[in-house]
Amino acid sequence: MFTRRKFLQTTAAGGAVLATSGLAAPAIAQTAAVKLGYVSPQTGPLAGFGEADKFVIDSFLATTKKMGLNYEVIVKDSQSNPNRAAEVAKELIVDDEINLMLVSSTPETTNPVSTTCEAEQIPCLSTVAPWQPWFIGQQGNPGDPASWKPFNYAYHFFWGLEDIIAVFTGMWGQIETNKKVGGLFPNDGDGNAWGDKVVGFPPVLEKLGYDLTDTGRYQNLTDDFSAQINAFKQAETEILTGVMIPPDLTTFWNQAKQQGLKPKIASIGKALLFPQTVEALGDAGHNLSTEVWWTPSHPFKSSLTGETAADVAAAFTTATGRPWTQPIGFAHALFELAVDVMKRAEDVTDGDAVAKAIGETKLDTLVGPIAWNNANLPPFAQKNVAKTPLVGGQWRLKSGGGYDLVVVENGQATNIPLGGKMEALS
């Protein structure tokens, strides 16, 4: 006989959402629930990443209850703040005594949570941050590759900068340009990695014959991009790229239009992932391009429910009235992995046993196959990083209003179908 618990929710800012359902972990029959901590940015400038969290967690709890599994999910909002992310991670570990940490969405949340887990010897599954800023950003001396060490408890799955550079340049190669690129890299985990002269965009673009104008690191929530716009105009830039938070993309793009910057291509990471960001630009969002890590057309199924990507996306829209959004797939996959890991762990209360089970994972998920110890990575990252596929897409205005995200580049993942060809900005 197993206990059942009620679903509890607090609405205070930064508060926790506790959710529990019916029965025991697969590996060990027990009345106590397996405790999962979950941290993501649900408020602040990165809140778009957390839009699907409630839908995913509600679905997870309903599914595991039907499966006869007993899970408790304790949710914390990082508030898009690294210090807050570290603080709530410590709360989950010390106060809530979780068995496994799940964390999602940009280095500002994934890194402090993963670092806290590593220090506290709590197993952690992380996603939705390119693997370089996640791995390198946690090292004691990020500038010294010889000092980089694998982690014992922190594991990550996502794509890397090498993938997004290949995707972006694959899109750019479909349009005739002068190959002059303007880079917009903020002073944060993503921006510092993307703009890095060793592991980021600059050395690869140079090898491919692109001329990059990098105006330096700007602060997030900047209200004036005139200096960058003027530099790009002087350099006769026809391609824009970078990794911006949604409010900054809106500010920059509106100012660029006002000041006469007219690139042929704008491929911006992070901000352009979300339909609401593009919709806020009105018609000016047409043919902006971005990385695409999950869509309803991705040919993968959930290991928990058997649902296709299209099924899950449609269920989200039915439940919320909102268009599907890319983080749905990866949030879902985090919970798929949690169940698979706890099923195989010899003791779900032993952090070392759970970490060992993570490292031995081989699972087909809603975002594709996930396995660590992959030889398709530098040796220092093989233990802790698992790669997922990446393609490129453009936002296209629909005749009835709103936008569709159309996949236009799949050279890195040909099993993900194309929806069209790259088009120049008007």
Side-chain angles (χ1 to χ4, degrees):
M1 179 66 66
F2 301 100
T3 60
R4 296 185 61 182
R5 304 186 183 188
K6 295 181 179 179
F7 183 87
L8 302 175
Q9 180 168 332
T10 63
T11 57
V17 177
L18 278 73
T20 52
S21 73
L23 311 166
I28 300 176
Q30 57 185 31
T31 56
V34 175
K35 288 188 176 184
L36 304 178
Y38 181 75
V39 183
S40 71
Q42 295 143 43
T43 58
L46 300 173
F49 284 95
E51 180 186 2
D53 287 350
K54 185 179 186 305
F55 165 80
V56 171
I57 293 169
D58 286 351
S59 300
F60 169 75
L61 291 167
T63 297
T64 50
K65 181 177 179 179
K66 290 178 182 177
M67 294 172 67
L69 309 180
N70 187 15
Y71 279 91
E72 178 178 352
V73 182
I74 308 171
V75 182
K76 299 283 187 177
D77 178 10
S78 73
Q79 301 175 3
S80 304
N81 183 302
N83 294 330
R84 174 66 180 173
E87 178 185 333
V88 297
K90 193 69 174 287
E91 289 175 2
L92 287 166
I93 294 167
V94 176
D95 299 337
D96 298 300
E97 299 181 340
I98 59 169
N99 303 115
L100 173 64
M101 182 76 78
L102 310 178
V103 58
S104 180
S105 303
T106 82
E108 280 60 56
T109 293
T110 62
N111 288 20
V113 173
S114 299
T115 299
T116 300
C117 288
E118 187 69 15
E120 298 290 335
Q121 300 183 358
I122 293 295
C124 177
L125 285 167
S126 172
T127 193
V128 188
W131 72 258
Q132 287 93 338
W134 177 83
F135 184 94
I136 298 169
Q138 294 183 75
Q139 301 297 324
N141 186 353
D144 179 15
S147 70
W148 298 349
K149 299 178 181 179
F151 306 122
N152 293 318
Y153 298 93
Y155 291 80
H156 189 74
F157 64 101
F158 209 50
W159 42 265
L161 297 182
E162 70 279 13
D163 303 304
I164 197 166
I165 294 171
V167 165
F168 277 14
T169 55
M171 291 194 290
W172 303 346
Q174 298 180 42
I175 304 293
E176 184 176 346
T177 69
N178 61 7
K179 303 190 81 170
K180 294 185 177 181
V181 181
L184 291 158
F185 306 123
N187 185 23
D188 62 16
D190 272 330
N192 290 327
W194 286 46
D196 189 88
K197 294 182 179 180
V198 177
V199 302
F201 273 61
V204 182
L205 293 185
E206 183 178 359
K207 288 180 182 178
L208 294 174
Y210 289 92
D211 182 7
L212 176 66
T213 297
D214 181 353
T215 56
R217 306 299 157 260
Y218 66 87
Q219 296 303 313
N220 283 321
L221 299 178
T222 291
D223 59 9
D224 185 359
F225 285 94
S226 296
Q228 290 86 349
I229 292 168
N230 288 333
F232 298 155
K233 289 169 66 175
Q234 291 176 9
E236 299 180 343
T237 296
E238 292 188 346
I239 303 170
L240 294 178
T241 194
V243 54
M244 309 181 80
I245 62 175
D248 285 349
L249 183 279
T250 301
T251 301
F252 169 81
W253 196 240
N254 286 335
Q255 291 178 0
K257 289 288 186 181
Q258 293 165 2
Q259 297 177 36
L261 179 63
K262 297 179 179 179
K264 292 183 178 181
I265 299 169
S267 301
I268 306 295
K270 190 183 286 187
L272 288 176
L273 297 171
F274 308 110
Q276 58 265 43
T277 305
V278 186
E279 290 165 359
L281 299 173
D283 293 352
H286 184 61
N287 279 339
L288 291 175
S289 49
T290 188
E291 75 273 27
V292 178
W293 14 285
W294 187 82
T295 72
S297 63
H298 274 50
F300 308 124
K301 294 182 178 180
S302 167
S303 62
L304 276 177
T305 66
E307 292 174 297
T308 66
D311 293 335
V312 175
F316 173 79
T317 297
T318 298
T320 66
R322 291 287 301 149
W324 64 270
T325 183
Q326 294 196 48
I328 296 170
F330 281 81
H332 185 101
L334 272 173
F335 289 94
E336 290 182 72
L337 288 165
V339 171
D340 178 71
V341 166
M342 292 311 200
K343 183 187 302 181
R344 292 180 289 104
E346 293 182 2
D347 181 353
V348 298
T349 65
D350 182 344
D352 290 329
V354 174
K356 180 175 181 290
I358 295 174
E360 295 171 350
T361 296
K362 291 184 178 180
L363 186 67
D364 292 335
T365 75
L366 195 65
V367 300
I370 295 176
W372 282 272
N373 292 304
N374 191 328
N376 189 29
L377 283 162
F380 60 79
Q382 289 176 5
K383 175 183 176 182
N384 302 109
V385 175
K387 294 255 287 199
T388 56
L390 187 68
V391 294
Q394 278 189 299
W395 289 100
R396 300 268 167 81
L397 272 170
K398 296 189 291 187
S399 58
Y403 280 88
D404 280 329
L405 181 58
V406 178
V407 175
V408 297
E409 164 58 32
N410 68 349
Q412 302 298 298
T414 55
N415 59 328
I416 297 168
L418 292 172
K421 295 182 178 180
M422 186 75 170
E423 298 178 1
L425 294 167
S426 56

